[in-house]
Amino acid sequence: MSQNNAEKKRYYEPAPQDIDVENFKKVVTSRRSVRKFTDKAIPAEVLDECLDLALLAPNSSNLQPWTFYVVQSAAKKKQLVKACLNQLAAKTASELIVCVARTDRLDEMAKMNITEFPFPEAPATVQKYYRFIPYNYKTGYFNALGNFKKVAFKVARQFDKQLPVTAFNPADAKLWASKTTALACENLVLALCAYGFDSCMMEGFDEPLVCKILNLNNQQYPVMVIAAGERAEDGVFFPQYRFDRNLFIQKV
Ligand SMILES: Cc1cc2nc3c(=O)[nH]c(=O)nc-3n(C[C@H](O)[C@H](O)[C@H](O)COP(=O)(O)O)c2cc1C
């Protein structure tokens, strides 16, 4: 079959039929931010399974711009608790996971999308896409590429051209990677919940200190630290509440 024909052939994966909605709801509704944990350890295989489920989160262009640092060295953990402003959740957690968004591996991840594409050979359109896509999120030295894109997009829009979200500067690139990383964080906490463990997402941390502890470069951004463990009896401080859904949902 020529590559063109191979590309046209549609891959079919049946939609799941047997998902237990009630159990899914139970996981979502029972997840709480837990600020105090017991001494019980999370079994290594459970933690690994939860991390693997985190990695299945949807992510922009499948570029997987994240790293999850499971901080287990006693010395580093002590430093990290301090960096997390000595929050009780951090102090009592059996695991502390620093979720890092990164924009420094765009080329590497794009190449891997070609070499590890799950067909014998990545279709030509896929190869073309991954040769181009890193530039959408790169900004170049002294933001030269970002500035060029800004002008080019402005001109193109004059001609009624529709254009995707792109990075015009490093802040946009950070937002791009953080958006996707946060989705994996949610997968992680829901997975922990499904296994009977709890968590507290924390952005109450000293960012430069966390970067220093983990030796992060300036294109690696700690999005949040996740404290995880078994919920202490008094680990949830108040009932969950949200505001009126009409404030947040608009059907237009
Ligand atoms: C990005 C993010 C950062 C958060 N940072 C902290 C934090 O530093 N400390 C803390 O105790 N809770 C933190 N939380 C938890 C929120 O306060 C909590 O999700 C919110 O009050 C709703 O409560 P619930 O998670 O129990 O539904 C954070 C949550 C998110 C999503």
Side-chain angles (χ1 to χ4, degrees), residues 32-90:
R32 292 302 316 279
S33 291
V34 166
R35 273 68 183 227
K36 191 177 170 194
F37 299 95
T38 69
D39 290 341
K40 185 175 164 183
I42 302 175
E45 60 280 11
V46 169
L47 184 60
D48 279 338
E49 182 69 33
C50 293
L51 289 162
D52 287 344
L53 290 169
L55 300 182
L56 291 180
N59 64 91
S60 178
S61 289
N62 205 30
L63 288 169
Q64 305 168 55
W66 49 42
T67 296
F68 297 86
Y69 289 91
V70 184
V71 177
Q72 293 180 323
S73 119
K76 278 208 183 323
K77 218 168 165 180
K78 195 173 162 201
Q79 291 174 308
L80 187 56
V81 169
K82 187 176 163 199
C84 292
L85 318 179
N86 282 311
Q87 293 192 51
L88 188 62

Short mmCIF file of all heavy atoms in Angstrom, two decimals, residues 32-90:
data_model
loop_
_atom_site.label_atom_id
_atom_site.label_comp_id
_atom_site.label_asym_id
_atom_site.label_seq_id
_atom_site.Cartn_x
_atom_site.Cartn_y
_atom_site.Cartn_z
N ARG A 32 -10.63 15.27 48.05
CA ARG A 32 -10.56 16.53 48.80
C ARG A 32 -9.11 16.95 48.94
O ARG A 32 -8.21 16.10 48.85
CB ARG A 32 -11.17 16.36 50.21
CG ARG A 32 -12.67 16.12 50.24
CD ARG A 32 -13.49 17.23 49.58
NE ARG A 32 -13.07 18.59 49.91
CZ ARG A 32 -13.41 19.23 51.05
NH1 ARG A 32 -14.21 18.66 51.92
NH2 ARG A 32 -12.97 20.46 51.28
N SER A 33 -8.91 18.22 49.18
CA SER A 33 -7.55 18.67 49.51
C SER A 33 -7.32 18.32 50.97
O SER A 33 -8.00 18.85 51.85
CB SER A 33 -7.42 20.17 49.27
OG SER A 33 -7.50 20.42 47.89
N VAL A 34 -6.40 17.41 51.18
CA VAL A 34 -6.13 16.90 52.53
C VAL A 34 -4.90 17.60 53.08
O VAL A 34 -3.87 17.66 52.42
CB VAL A 34 -5.99 15.36 52.48
CG1 VAL A 34 -5.39 14.83 53.76
CG2 VAL A 34 -7.36 14.74 52.22
N ARG A 35 -5.04 18.16 54.25
CA ARG A 35 -3.93 18.94 54.83
C ARG A 35 -3.19 18.19 55.93
O ARG A 35 -2.22 18.68 56.46
CB ARG A 35 -4.47 20.26 55.39
CG ARG A 35 -4.55 21.42 54.41
CD ARG A 35 -5.57 21.22 53.34
NE ARG A 35 -5.63 22.28 52.35
CZ ARG A 35 -6.75 22.86 51.93
NH1 ARG A 35 -7.92 22.48 52.40
NH2 ARG A 35 -6.70 23.78 51.00
N LYS A 36 -3.66 16.97 56.26
CA LYS A 36 -2.94 16.19 57.27
C LYS A 36 -3.05 14.71 56.90
O LYS A 36 -4.15 14.20 56.66
CB LYS A 36 -3.55 16.45 58.65
CG LYS A 36 -2.72 15.90 59.79
CD LYS A 36 -3.38 16.27 61.12
CE LYS A 36 -2.74 15.55 62.27
NZ LYS A 36 -3.59 15.67 63.47
N PHE A 37 -1.89 14.06 56.87
CA PHE A 37 -1.84 12.65 56.46
C PHE A 37 -1.37 11.78 57.63
O PHE A 37 -0.72 12.26 58.56
CB PHE A 37 -0.88 12.49 55.28
CG PHE A 37 -1.28 13.26 54.06
CD1 PHE A 37 -0.76 14.53 53.81
CD2 PHE A 37 -2.20 12.75 53.16
CE1 PHE A 37 -1.12 15.26 52.68
CE2 PHE A 37 -2.59 13.47 52.03
CZ PHE A 37 -2.04 14.73 51.79
N THR A 38 -1.69 10.48 57.54
CA THR A 38 -1.19 9.53 58.54
C THR A 38 0.24 9.12 58.14
O THR A 38 0.75 9.56 57.10
CB THR A 38 -2.05 8.25 58.59
OG1 THR A 38 -1.83 7.52 57.37
CG2 THR A 38 -3.54 8.56 58.75
N ASP A 39 0.81 8.22 58.91
CA ASP A 39 2.19 7.76 58.61
C ASP A 39 2.22 6.68 57.53
O ASP A 39 3.30 6.28 57.09
CB ASP A 39 2.82 7.14 59.88
CG ASP A 39 3.11 8.22 60.91
OD1 ASP A 39 3.16 9.40 60.52
OD2 ASP A 39 3.25 7.87 62.10
N LYS A 40 1.04 6.20 57.14
CA LYS A 40 1.01 5.08 56.18
C LYS A 40 1.67 5.45 54.85
O LYS A 40 1.37 6.50 54.27
CB LYS A 40 -0.45 4.65 55.94
CG LYS A 40 -0.58 3.42 55.07
CD LYS A 40 -2.03 2.99 54.96
CE LYS A 40 -2.21 2.02 53.82
NZ LYS A 40 -3.61 1.63 53.66
N ALA A 41 2.55 4.55 54.41
CA ALA A 41 3.25 4.81 53.14
C ALA A 41 2.35 4.42 51.97
O ALA A 41 1.49 3.54 52.10
CB ALA A 41 4.54 4.00 53.10
N ILE A 42 2.56 5.06 50.84
CA ILE A 42 1.87 4.64 49.61
C ILE A 42 2.74 3.54 49.01
O ILE A 42 3.93 3.78 48.74
CB ILE A 42 1.74 5.81 48.61
CG1 ILE A 42 0.98 6.98 49.24
CG2 ILE A 42 1.04 5.35 47.33
CD1 ILE A 42 0.90 8.23 48.36
N PRO A 43 2.19 2.33 48.80
CA PRO A 43 3.03 1.28 48.21
C PRO A 43 3.65 1.76 46.88
O PRO A 43 2.97 2.43 46.09
CB PRO A 43 2.05 0.12 47.99
CG PRO A 43 0.94 0.37 48.95
CD PRO A 43 0.82 1.87 49.07
N ALA A 44 4.91 1.39 46.69
CA ALA A 44 5.64 1.86 45.50
C ALA A 44 4.89 1.55 44.21
O ALA A 44 4.83 2.38 43.29
CB ALA A 44 7.04 1.24 45.48
N GLU A 45 4.29 0.34 44.15
CA GLU A 45 3.62 -0.03 42.89
C GLU A 45 2.35 0.80 42.67
O GLU A 45 1.99 1.11 41.53
CB GLU A 45 3.34 -1.55 42.82
CG GLU A 45 2.46 -2.16 43.88
CD GLU A 45 3.17 -2.44 45.22
OE1 GLU A 45 4.32 -1.98 45.41
OE2 GLU A 45 2.55 -3.10 46.07
N VAL A 46 1.69 1.21 43.76
CA VAL A 46 0.50 2.06 43.63
C VAL A 46 0.92 3.44 43.13
O VAL A 46 0.33 3.99 42.19
CB VAL A 46 -0.25 2.17 44.99
CG1 VAL A 46 -1.32 3.26 44.94
CG2 VAL A 46 -0.88 0.83 45.37
N LEU A 47 1.97 3.97 43.74
CA LEU A 47 2.44 5.29 43.33
C LEU A 47 2.86 5.28 41.85
O LEU A 47 2.52 6.18 41.08
CB LEU A 47 3.62 5.72 44.22
CG LEU A 47 4.16 7.13 43.96
CD1 LEU A 47 3.08 8.19 44.19
CD2 LEU A 47 5.36 7.41 44.85
N ASP A 48 3.56 4.21 41.46
CA ASP A 48 3.99 4.12 40.06
C ASP A 48 2.80 4.04 39.11
O ASP A 48 2.79 4.67 38.05
CB ASP A 48 4.89 2.89 39.86
CG ASP A 48 6.32 3.19 40.32
OD1 ASP A 48 6.68 4.38 40.38
OD2 ASP A 48 7.06 2.24 40.64
N GLU A 49 1.80 3.27 39.52
CA GLU A 49 0.60 3.15 38.69
C GLU A 49 -0.08 4.52 38.54
O GLU A 49 -0.50 4.91 37.46
CB GLU A 49 -0.36 2.14 39.35
CG GLU A 49 -1.63 1.85 38.60
CD GLU A 49 -1.44 1.10 37.29
OE1 GLU A 49 -0.51 0.27 37.22
OE2 GLU A 49 -2.22 1.35 36.36
N CYS A 50 -0.15 5.26 39.66
CA CYS A 50 -0.79 6.58 39.62
C CYS A 50 0.02 7.54 38.73
O CYS A 50 -0.56 8.33 37.98
CB CYS A 50 -0.91 7.16 41.04
SG CYS A 50 -2.05 6.22 42.06
N LEU A 51 1.33 7.44 38.81
CA LEU A 51 2.17 8.30 37.96
C LEU A 51 1.98 7.94 36.49
O LEU A 51 1.90 8.81 35.62
CB LEU A 51 3.64 8.17 38.37
CG LEU A 51 3.98 8.82 39.73
CD1 LEU A 51 5.31 8.30 40.27
CD2 LEU A 51 4.03 10.35 39.62
N ASP A 52 1.88 6.64 36.23
CA ASP A 52 1.65 6.22 34.84
C ASP A 52 0.31 6.74 34.32
O ASP A 52 0.19 7.13 33.16
CB ASP A 52 1.69 4.68 34.72
CG ASP A 52 3.12 4.15 34.85
OD1 ASP A 52 4.07 4.94 34.71
OD2 ASP A 52 3.28 2.94 35.11
N LEU A 53 -0.70 6.74 35.21
CA LEU A 53 -2.01 7.26 34.80
C LEU A 53 -1.94 8.77 34.56
O LEU A 53 -2.60 9.29 33.67
CB LEU A 53 -3.09 6.90 35.83
CG LEU A 53 -3.44 5.40 35.88
CD1 LEU A 53 -4.29 5.08 37.10
CD2 LEU A 53 -4.15 4.96 34.61
N ALA A 54 -1.11 9.43 35.35
CA ALA A 54 -0.92 10.88 35.15
C ALA A 54 -0.37 11.14 33.75
O ALA A 54 -0.81 12.06 33.05
CB ALA A 54 0.04 11.44 36.21
N LEU A 55 0.56 10.29 33.33
CA LEU A 55 1.20 10.49 32.03
C LEU A 55 0.26 10.25 30.85
O LEU A 55 0.59 10.55 29.71
CB LEU A 55 2.43 9.59 31.90
CG LEU A 55 3.55 9.79 32.93
CD1 LEU A 55 4.72 8.86 32.65
CD2 LEU A 55 4.04 11.24 32.94
N LEU A 56 -0.92 9.68 31.15
CA LEU A 56 -1.89 9.46 30.07
C LEU A 56 -2.79 10.67 29.85
O LEU A 56 -3.69 10.63 29.01
CB LEU A 56 -2.76 8.23 30.39
CG LEU A 56 -2.05 6.87 30.33
CD1 LEU A 56 -3.01 5.75 30.66
CD2 LEU A 56 -1.43 6.64 28.95
N ALA A 57 -2.55 11.73 30.60
CA ALA A 57 -3.40 12.92 30.44
C ALA A 57 -3.28 13.47 29.02
O ALA A 57 -2.22 13.36 28.40
CB ALA A 57 -2.97 13.99 31.45
N PRO A 58 -4.37 14.07 28.54
CA PRO A 58 -4.25 14.74 27.25
C PRO A 58 -3.20 15.84 27.36
O PRO A 58 -3.05 16.45 28.43
CB PRO A 58 -5.65 15.33 27.01
CG PRO A 58 -6.32 15.33 28.34
CD PRO A 58 -5.67 14.26 29.17
N ASN A 59 -2.47 16.06 26.30
CA ASN A 59 -1.42 17.08 26.37
C ASN A 59 -1.19 17.68 25.01
O ASN A 59 -1.39 17.01 24.00
CB ASN A 59 -0.13 16.47 26.95
CG ASN A 59 0.42 15.39 26.06
OD1 ASN A 59 1.25 15.67 25.19
ND2 ASN A 59 -0.04 14.16 26.20
N SER A 60 -0.78 18.92 24.99
CA SER A 60 -0.72 19.67 23.74
C SER A 60 0.22 19.02 22.72
O SER A 60 1.42 18.84 22.98
CB SER A 60 -0.24 21.09 24.05
OG SER A 60 -0.14 21.82 22.87
N SER A 61 -0.35 18.66 21.58
CA SER A 61 0.40 18.04 20.47
C SER A 61 1.17 16.79 20.87
O SER A 61 2.14 16.42 20.21
CB SER A 61 1.37 19.05 19.82
OG SER A 61 0.65 20.01 19.12
N ASN A 62 0.76 16.18 21.95
CA ASN A 62 1.45 14.99 22.49
C ASN A 62 2.93 15.25 22.74
O ASN A 62 3.75 14.35 22.67
CB ASN A 62 1.25 13.77 21.57
CG ASN A 62 1.39 12.47 22.33
OD1 ASN A 62 1.08 12.39 23.52
ND2 ASN A 62 1.88 11.43 21.69
N LEU A 63 3.25 16.50 23.07
CA LEU A 63 4.66 16.85 23.30
C LEU A 63 5.10 16.57 24.74
O LEU A 63 6.28 16.73 25.08
CB LEU A 63 4.92 18.32 22.92
CG LEU A 63 4.89 18.58 21.41
CD1 LEU A 63 4.87 20.07 21.11
CD2 LEU A 63 6.07 17.92 20.70
N GLN A 64 4.15 16.20 25.59
CA GLN A 64 4.44 15.73 26.94
C GLN A 64 5.49 16.60 27.66
O GLN A 64 6.53 16.09 28.09
CB GLN A 64 4.86 14.25 26.86
CG GLN A 64 3.78 13.43 26.14
CD GLN A 64 4.20 12.04 25.75
OE1 GLN A 64 4.64 11.26 26.58
NE2 GLN A 64 4.04 11.71 24.48
N PRO A 65 5.17 17.90 27.82
CA PRO A 65 6.18 18.83 28.33
C PRO A 65 6.22 18.88 29.86
O PRO A 65 5.98 19.92 30.47
CB PRO A 65 5.71 20.17 27.75
CG PRO A 65 4.22 20.04 27.72
CD PRO A 65 3.90 18.58 27.51
N TRP A 66 6.51 17.75 30.46
CA TRP A 66 6.43 17.69 31.92
C TRP A 66 7.46 16.74 32.50
O TRP A 66 7.99 15.86 31.81
CB TRP A 66 5.02 17.21 32.33
CG TRP A 66 4.52 15.98 31.60
CD1 TRP A 66 5.24 14.85 31.30
CD2 TRP A 66 3.21 15.75 31.08
NE1 TRP A 66 4.45 13.95 30.62
CE2 TRP A 66 3.20 14.47 30.48
CE3 TRP A 66 2.03 16.49 31.08
CZ2 TRP A 66 2.07 13.93 29.88
CZ3 TRP A 66 0.90 15.94 30.48
CH2 TRP A 66 0.92 14.68 29.88
N THR A 67 7.77 16.93 33.76
CA THR A 67 8.55 15.96 34.54
C THR A 67 7.96 15.95 35.95
O THR A 67 7.63 17.01 36.50
CB THR A 67 10.05 16.34 34.60
OG1 THR A 67 10.58 16.29 33.28
CG2 THR A 67 10.84 15.35 35.45
N PHE A 68 7.82 14.76 36.50
CA PHE A 68 7.30 14.62 37.86
C PHE A 68 8.43 14.14 38.75
O PHE A 68 8.92 13.02 38.58
CB PHE A 68 6.10 13.66 37.88
CG PHE A 68 4.96 14.21 37.07
CD1 PHE A 68 4.89 13.99 35.70
CD2 PHE A 68 4.02 15.02 37.66
CE1 PHE A 68 3.89 14.55 34.93
CE2 PHE A 68 3.00 15.60 36.91
CZ PHE A 68 2.94 15.35 35.54
N TYR A 69 8.87 15.00 39.64
CA TYR A 69 9.95 14.65 40.57
C TYR A 69 9.33 14.08 41.84
O TYR A 69 8.66 14.82 42.58
CB TYR A 69 10.79 15.88 40.93
CG TYR A 69 11.66 16.37 39.80
CD1 TYR A 69 11.18 17.33 38.91
CD2 TYR A 69 12.95 15.89 39.62
CE1 TYR A 69 11.98 17.80 37.87
CE2 TYR A 69 13.75 16.35 38.57
CZ TYR A 69 13.25 17.29 37.71
OH TYR A 69 14.04 17.75 36.68
N VAL A 70 9.53 12.80 42.07
CA VAL A 70 9.06 12.18 43.30
C VAL A 70 10.21 12.33 44.29
O VAL A 70 11.24 11.66 44.15
CB VAL A 70 8.69 10.70 43.07
CG1 VAL A 70 8.10 10.09 44.33
CG2 VAL A 70 7.70 10.58 41.91
N VAL A 71 10.05 13.23 45.21
CA VAL A 71 11.17 13.58 46.08
C VAL A 71 11.19 12.64 47.29
O VAL A 71 10.36 12.74 48.19
CB VAL A 71 11.06 15.06 46.52
CG1 VAL A 71 12.19 15.43 47.48
CG2 VAL A 71 11.09 15.96 45.29
N GLN A 72 12.14 11.72 47.26
CA GLN A 72 12.16 10.70 48.31
C GLN A 72 13.41 10.76 49.18
O GLN A 72 13.44 10.17 50.26
CB GLN A 72 12.00 9.31 47.67
CG GLN A 72 10.59 9.17 47.06
CD GLN A 72 10.32 7.82 46.42
OE1 GLN A 72 11.21 7.25 45.81
NE2 GLN A 72 9.09 7.34 46.53
N SER A 73 14.43 11.47 48.73
CA SER A 73 15.63 11.60 49.57
C SER A 73 15.26 12.44 50.79
O SER A 73 14.64 13.51 50.66
CB SER A 73 16.77 12.25 48.77
OG SER A 73 17.18 13.46 49.36
N ALA A 74 15.63 11.93 51.99
CA ALA A 74 15.23 12.60 53.24
C ALA A 74 15.73 14.05 53.27
O ALA A 74 14.98 14.95 53.67
CB ALA A 74 15.77 11.81 54.43
N ALA A 75 16.95 14.24 52.78
CA ALA A 75 17.52 15.59 52.83
C ALA A 75 16.75 16.54 51.92
O ALA A 75 16.37 17.66 52.32
CB ALA A 75 18.99 15.53 52.42
N LYS A 76 16.47 16.08 50.71
CA LYS A 76 15.75 16.93 49.75
C LYS A 76 14.32 17.19 50.23
O LYS A 76 13.78 18.27 50.06
CB LYS A 76 15.72 16.25 48.38
CG LYS A 76 16.99 16.46 47.58
CD LYS A 76 16.67 16.40 46.09
CE LYS A 76 17.88 16.52 45.19
NZ LYS A 76 18.92 17.42 45.59
N LYS A 77 13.72 16.15 50.84
CA LYS A 77 12.34 16.27 51.32
C LYS A 77 12.26 17.36 52.40
O LYS A 77 11.33 18.16 52.41
CB LYS A 77 11.89 14.92 51.89
CG LYS A 77 10.46 14.60 51.57
CD LYS A 77 10.15 13.17 51.90
CE LYS A 77 8.65 12.97 51.92
NZ LYS A 77 8.29 11.61 52.23
N LYS A 78 13.27 17.35 53.26
CA LYS A 78 13.29 18.35 54.33
C LYS A 78 13.35 19.76 53.74
O LYS A 78 12.62 20.66 54.15
CB LYS A 78 14.52 18.07 55.22
CG LYS A 78 14.47 18.76 56.54
CD LYS A 78 15.61 18.31 57.43
CE LYS A 78 15.79 19.33 58.55
NZ LYS A 78 17.10 19.28 59.16
N GLN A 79 14.21 19.90 52.73
CA GLN A 79 14.35 21.21 52.07
C GLN A 79 13.03 21.60 51.38
O GLN A 79 12.62 22.75 51.40
CB GLN A 79 15.44 21.15 51.01
CG GLN A 79 16.85 21.01 51.57
CD GLN A 79 17.85 20.82 50.42
OE1 GLN A 79 17.68 19.94 49.56
NE2 GLN A 79 18.86 21.65 50.40
N LEU A 80 12.39 20.58 50.78
CA LEU A 80 11.16 20.85 50.04
C LEU A 80 10.02 21.26 50.97
O LEU A 80 9.23 22.14 50.64
CB LEU A 80 10.78 19.61 49.20
CG LEU A 80 9.61 19.78 48.25
CD1 LEU A 80 9.82 20.94 47.27
CD2 LEU A 80 9.36 18.49 47.46
N VAL A 81 9.95 20.61 52.14
CA VAL A 81 8.91 20.98 53.11
C VAL A 81 9.08 22.46 53.48
O VAL A 81 8.12 23.23 53.51
CB VAL A 81 8.98 20.08 54.37
CG1 VAL A 81 8.09 20.62 55.48
CG2 VAL A 81 8.58 18.64 54.02
N LYS A 82 10.33 22.84 53.68
CA LYS A 82 10.62 24.25 54.01
C LYS A 82 10.18 25.14 52.84
O LYS A 82 9.55 26.18 53.03
CB LYS A 82 12.12 24.40 54.29
CG LYS A 82 12.51 25.75 54.79
CD LYS A 82 13.99 25.77 55.13
CE LYS A 82 14.47 27.20 55.24
NZ LYS A 82 15.92 27.30 55.11
N ALA A 83 10.52 24.68 51.60
CA ALA A 83 10.14 25.47 50.42
C ALA A 83 8.61 25.56 50.29
O ALA A 83 8.10 26.53 49.73
CB ALA A 83 10.74 24.86 49.16
N CYS A 84 7.92 24.55 50.82
CA CYS A 84 6.44 24.58 50.78
C CYS A 84 5.90 25.32 52.00
O CYS A 84 4.77 25.05 52.46
CB CYS A 84 5.87 23.16 50.71
SG CYS A 84 6.21 22.33 49.17
N LEU A 85 6.67 26.23 52.50
CA LEU A 85 6.28 27.12 53.59
C LEU A 85 5.87 26.34 54.84
O LEU A 85 5.01 26.78 55.60
CB LEU A 85 5.13 28.05 53.14
CG LEU A 85 5.23 28.65 51.73
CD1 LEU A 85 4.03 29.51 51.42
CD2 LEU A 85 6.51 29.45 51.55
N ASN A 86 6.46 25.15 54.99
CA ASN A 86 6.18 24.29 56.14
C ASN A 86 4.69 23.98 56.31
O ASN A 86 4.21 23.80 57.43
CB ASN A 86 6.72 24.93 57.43
CG ASN A 86 8.22 24.72 57.53
OD1 ASN A 86 8.73 23.60 57.37
ND2 ASN A 86 8.94 25.80 57.78
N GLN A 87 3.98 23.94 55.19
CA GLN A 87 2.55 23.60 55.27
C GLN A 87 2.40 22.22 55.88
O GLN A 87 3.18 21.30 55.60
CB GLN A 87 1.92 23.60 53.88
CG GLN A 87 1.87 24.96 53.23
CD GLN A 87 0.98 24.93 51.98
OE1 GLN A 87 -0.15 24.47 52.02
NE2 GLN A 87 1.51 25.43 50.88
N LEU A 88 1.33 22.05 56.68
CA LEU A 88 1.11 20.77 57.35
C LEU A 88 0.98 19.63 56.33
O LEU A 88 1.49 18.52 56.56
CB LEU A 88 -0.17 20.88 58.21
CG LEU A 88 -0.47 19.69 59.13
CD1 LEU A 88 0.64 19.50 60.16
CD2 LEU A 88 -1.81 19.90 59.84
N ALA A 89 0.32 19.92 55.23
CA ALA A 89 0.16 18.89 54.18
C ALA A 89 1.52 18.39 53.72
O ALA A 89 1.74 17.19 53.55
CB ALA A 89 -0.63 19.46 53.01
N ALA A 90 2.47 19.31 53.55
CA ALA A 90 3.81 18.92 53.10
C ALA A 90 4.55 18.19 54.20
O ALA A 90 5.20 17.17 53.96
CB ALA A 90 4.58 20.17 52.67
#
